[in-house]
């Protein structure tokens, strides 16, 4: 963002002629993060509706009042559907929370149309694109003095073939939320020029050349990845903490976190504040970083302006971002709290697979793996007070893997 076009700080403008106090929350899409948010809100007695075309896991929660099925954020009729749903089901004035990447883009790009029916805790797209689209994020972060991974830009496959590239590299989609195989995989690795060009052509064929990001691979696995988790209001953090992705699945390029723990890492907090403050951010957010041991720098990777998979760690650590989101929406003051240390979150089924792999390759001792269970205070799906999602998670995951990976049904 150039100096001439930089957004001023502060809160986004009020959205529409609605009451300042929402009547409930409608969550668009998502899975484990949506489930954790619904539980935080449900414990406060807040009516929660789920609108989804994807993972039905959160709908099994006793805290989800009702689930509506739709064609998804990519459907041309998505905005009319949401407006009609508000009128038909009495959702006018509900807080609308997008919980997946495609839904984030839809809501941010349709703020004016949707704010006639809902309250929206998210900046419009002109602000939000500077953190959602990776090339814009890296450009603005560098201008703000935040470290970024070495990134290559090519205008054609031929230019990429001629370029001097330091391998290994990773290829990523510009922004998540796509339904193609490259977007669902999130990242592809290339160790030499031939492998890179093959992966680059395939990715460009699926999402377009301009939407493929090529970066130098930063060494290290999940243990090198850190996150900033927060709720922002009026361009300032209401509550925030740092966490470390101790393990992920798959272990080298994680599709999802499997073990996340609260840590103290002030560099993550400082860098994230620079990025989010620059656009006057508003709402829930996770900012991902990777520690580069070669020069001891924290390099920003991604910004997720929505509930994330390990969102339940926040409440377990005493910083219930979901409940705080409701308090802020209702205009109540929220006292800042420090997250409790030695608290972690686990996605048990996939962490068992990740842990087994790490132990088998001697990157983790079996004793250390089992000792990590001592700090777990939140699980991806299980909760003693809300048991059904935990019971359905394993068979549901197996069914989704079977239909999507092997039967190619989407």
């Amino acid at each position: 963002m150039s100096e001439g076009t930089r957004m001023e700080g502060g809160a986004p403008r009020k959205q529409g002629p609605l009451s300042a106090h929402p009547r409930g929350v409608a969550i668009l899409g998502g899975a484990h993060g949506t489930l954790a948010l619904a539980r935080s809100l449900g414990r406060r007695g807040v009516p929660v509706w789920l609108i989804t075309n994807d993972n039905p896991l959160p709908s099994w929660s006793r805290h989800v009042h009702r689930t509506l099925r739709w064609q998804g954020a990519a459907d041309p009729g998505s905005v009319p559907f949401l407006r009609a749903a508000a009128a038909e089901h009495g959702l006018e004035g509900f807080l609308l929370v997008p919980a997946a990447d495609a839904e984030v883009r839809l809501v941010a790009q349709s703020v004016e149309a949707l704010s006639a029916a809902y309250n929206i805790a998210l900046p419009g797209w002109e602000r939000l694109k500077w953190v959602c689209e990776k090339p814009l994020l890296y450009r603005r972060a560098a201008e703000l003095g935040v470290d970024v991974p070495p990134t290559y830009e090519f205008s054609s496959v031929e230019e990429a073939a001629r370029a001097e590239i330091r391998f290994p590299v990773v290829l990523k989609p510009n922004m998540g939320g796509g339904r193609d195989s490259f977007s669902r995989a999130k990242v592809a690795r290339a160790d030499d020029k031939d492998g890179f060009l093959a992966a680059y052509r395939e990715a460009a064929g699926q999402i377009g050349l301009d939407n493929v990001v090529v970066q130098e691979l930063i060494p290290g696995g999940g243990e090198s990845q850190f996150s900033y988790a927060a709720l922002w209001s009026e361009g300032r953090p209401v509550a925030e903490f740092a966490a470390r992705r101790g393990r992920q699945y798959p272990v080298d390029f994680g599709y999802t976190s499997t073990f996340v723990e609260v840590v103290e890492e002030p560099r993550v907090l400082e860098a994230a504040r620079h990025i989010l403050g620059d656009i006057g951010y508003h709402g829930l957010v996770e900012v991902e970083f990777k520690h580069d041991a070669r020069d001891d720098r924290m390099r920003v990777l991604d910004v997720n302006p929505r509930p994330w998979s390990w969102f339940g760690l926040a409440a377990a650590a005493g910083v219930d971002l979901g409940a705080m989101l409701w308090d802020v929406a209702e205009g109540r003051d929220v006292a800042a709290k420090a997250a409790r240390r030695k608290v972690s979150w686990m996605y048990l089924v996939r962490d068992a697979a990740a842990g087994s792999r790490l132990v088998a390759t001697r990157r983790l001792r079996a004793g250390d793996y089992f000792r990590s269970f001592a700090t777990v205070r939140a699980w991806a799906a299980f909760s003693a007070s809300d048991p059904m999602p935990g019971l359905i998670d394993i068979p549901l995951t197996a069914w989704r893997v079977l239909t999507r990976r092997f039967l190619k049904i989407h």
Side-chain angles (χ1 to χ4, degrees):
M1 192 183 303
S2 68
E3 290 297 323
T5 60
R6 181 182 302 175
M7 291 291 187
E8 296 299 324
R13 63 180 177 82
K14 296 294 182 181
Q15 311 294 356
L18 299 173
S19 165
H21 303 298
R23 301 170 47 248
V25 176
I27 308 176
L28 298 182
H32 295 94
T34 293
L35 174 61
L37 175 59
R39 285 169 169 168
S40 287
L41 295 167
R43 288 192 292 265
R44 296 288 299 273
V46 179
V48 177
W49 286 55
L50 172 67
I51 302 174
T52 184
N53 71 322
D54 190 22
N55 197 318
L57 177 68
S59 65
W60 290 88
S61 171
R62 68 182 183 88
H63 297 296
V64 172
H65 174 72
R66 185 172 172 185
T67 299
L68 300 179
R69 301 292 296 184
W70 70 330
Q71 294 300 310
D75 184 75
S78 56
V79 172
F81 175 93
L82 292 174
R83 295 185 62 169
E88 180 180 351
H89 299 289
L91 306 181
E92 293 96 341
F94 269 46
L95 186 66
L96 186 66
V97 180
D101 292 332
E103 285 78 358
V104 165
R105 181 188 288 269
L106 171 72
V107 171
Q109 291 180 337
S110 310
V111 163
E112 289 196 14
L114 292 173
S115 63
Y118 299 93
N119 282 285
I120 299 174
L122 193 70
W125 187 247
E126 284 304 308
R127 289 174 181 260
L128 199 61
K129 69 181 181 181
W130 289 96
V131 296
C132 284
E133 295 189 1
K134 291 184 179 67
L136 296 180
L137 167 64
Y138 300 143
R139 184 194 312 171
R140 191 68 195 117
E143 292 175 359
L144 293 168
V146 176
D147 292 309
V148 301
T151 303
Y152 301 91
E153 295 185 8
F154 308 117
S155 59
S156 67
V157 175
E158 291 72 23
E159 182 181 349
R162 294 192 302 267
E164 292 292 331
I165 298 175
R166 181 178 176 181
F167 291 100
V169 297
V170 291
L171 295 79
K172 305 176 182 178
N174 175 12
M175 182 177 175
R179 308 296 291 181
D180 58 277
S181 61
F182 177 62
S183 295
R184 291 198 309 272
K186 295 187 178 182
V187 63
R189 173 173 173 161
D191 294 313
D192 54 40
K193 182 62 73 72
D194 289 341
F196 161 66
L197 290 176
Y200 193 51
R201 288 190 184 97
E202 182 176 356
Q206 294 186 38
I207 65 173
L209 192 69
D210 293 340
N211 294 319
V212 181
V213 177
V214 181
Q215 291 179 340
E216 181 181 316
L217 173 66
I218 300 174
E223 76 287 347
S224 300
Q225 290 199 215
F226 292 77
S227 287
Y228 170 87
L231 169 66
W232 278 56
S233 178
E234 299 185 355
R236 295 177 177 82
V238 174
E240 58 187 0
F241 65 94
R244 184 176 72 95
R245 180 188 289 192
R247 291 186 291 272
Q248 59 187 2
Y249 179 85
V251 297
D252 294 316
F253 294 104
Y255 177 79
T256 186
S257 302
T258 65
F259 180 78
V260 181
E261 55 189 340
V262 176
V263 296
E264 184 175 350
E265 182 46 79
R267 291 177 296 177
V268 163
L269 273 60
E270 181 181 1
R273 288 172 190 155
H274 282 309
I275 294 169
L276 299 172
D278 185 63
I279 65 166
Y281 189 75
H282 189 78
L284 298 169
V285 65
E286 180 213 12
V287 185
E288 297 181 2
F289 296 84
K290 190 164 187 180
H291 178 245
D292 193 335
R294 297 171 299 182
D295 55 10
D296 193 28
R297 294 179 183 269
M298 287 288 180
R299 302 190 186 277
V300 63
L301 298 180
D302 203 3
V303 175
N304 297 308
R306 53 170 173 76
W308 46 98
S309 62
W310 50 272
F311 186 79
L313 178 60
V319 186
D320 194 338
L321 298 177
M324 292 178 180
L325 173 67
W326 182 252
D327 287 337
V328 169
E330 289 210 312
R332 288 193 289 268
D333 291 332
V334 178
K337 299 179 181 179
R340 290 193 290 267
R341 299 287 304 279
K342 296 183 179 180
V343 174
S344 61
W345 168 98
M346 182 180 286
Y347 188 174
L348 180 59
V349 176
R350 292 192 171 181
D351 193 64
S356 298
R357 174 66 177 167
L358 291 170
V359 170
T361 55
R362 298 185 179 181
R363 285 182 279 177
L364 178 67
R365 292 184 295 184
D368 291 336
Y369 175 73
F370 288 111
R371 276 190 287 273
S372 69
F373 281 74
T375 63
V376 177
R377 299 294 180 270
W379 304 92
F382 177 75
S383 169
S385 62
D386 185 28
M388 280 304 298
L391 296 174
I392 201 70
D393 190 38
I394 295 177
L396 178 61
T397 299
W399 173 252
R400 286 168 62 83
V401 170
L402 173 66
T403 56
R404 293 191 171 204
R405 184 171 302 176
F406 297 106
L407 302 181
K408 305 299 182 182
I409 299 173
H410 304 297

